[in-house]
Amino acid sequence: MTSQTPEKSPSRKQRLQEKQRRQLAVVDTIDKAEAKLRKAEAELAEAVAEAVEVFGSEQGASEELGLSIESIRGFLSLVEGGTSGAEEPDGAGETVETAPAVSPAKAKAEVKPEQEPVAV
């Protein structure tokens, strides 16, 4: 009678395979969610860059959107870095052209000195 227990309970190999399958499924789900998050961040960065242009300055956009100046500058640096260009070339081209004309030059000047020591 005990010889039939392998039919009722999975073998070690089967348990391991099932555990691995579940782990791979979770990793796949996380990867997909991260891709969606990166796309959403890129879209948000483009919208913030457009807001800076519409409101005339980082300060104006900050006040109207309820975001800190640092957040605004972070989004502008994402747009300037071209991270959104891979997924949505049409929208990225528009904001990359308009954002530098507004005030990202100030953001670049203030953000770059902090970034250079980290990169070096």
Side-chain angles (χ1 to χ4, degrees):
M1 285 195 188
T2 58
S3 62
Q4 293 179 354
T5 56
E7 294 175 3
K8 292 180 181 178
S9 64
S11 69
R12 285 188 300 174
K13 182 179 177 181
Q14 289 171 328
R15 286 192 307 267
L16 185 58
Q17 286 174 334
E18 177 61 20
K19 183 178 179 180
Q20 231 176 4
R21 186 197 62 76
R22 289 192 326 259
Q23 288 173 340
L24 290 172
V26 168
V27 169
D28 186 47
T29 301
I30 296 294
D31 288 346
K32 288 178 182 176
E34 286 177 339
K36 287 179 183 179
L37 178 62
R38 284 190 298 274
K39 182 177 180 183
E41 286 175 337
E43 291 174 1
L44 180 58
E46 291 174 9
V48 169
E50 185 177 349
V52 169
E53 179 183 353
V54 169
F55 292 116
S57 68
E58 291 173 0
Q59 182 66 35
S62 172
E63 292 170 2
E64 294 298 323
L65 299 175
L67 296 172
S68 68
I69 297 280
E70 293 80 20
S71 295
I72 300 279
R73 290 176 180 159
F75 288 122
L76 291 175
S77 69
L78 280 176
V79 171
E80 290 172 356
T83 56
S84 62
E87 293 179 359
E88 293 189 13
D90 296 336
E94 293 173 12
T95 52
V96 170
E97 291 174 12
T98 56
V102 181
S103 56
K106 286 195 290 183
K108 252 186 180 177
E110 293 180 20
V111 173
K112 271 193 172 182
E114 295 174 10
Q115 289 177 349
E116 288 174 2
V118 174
V120 174

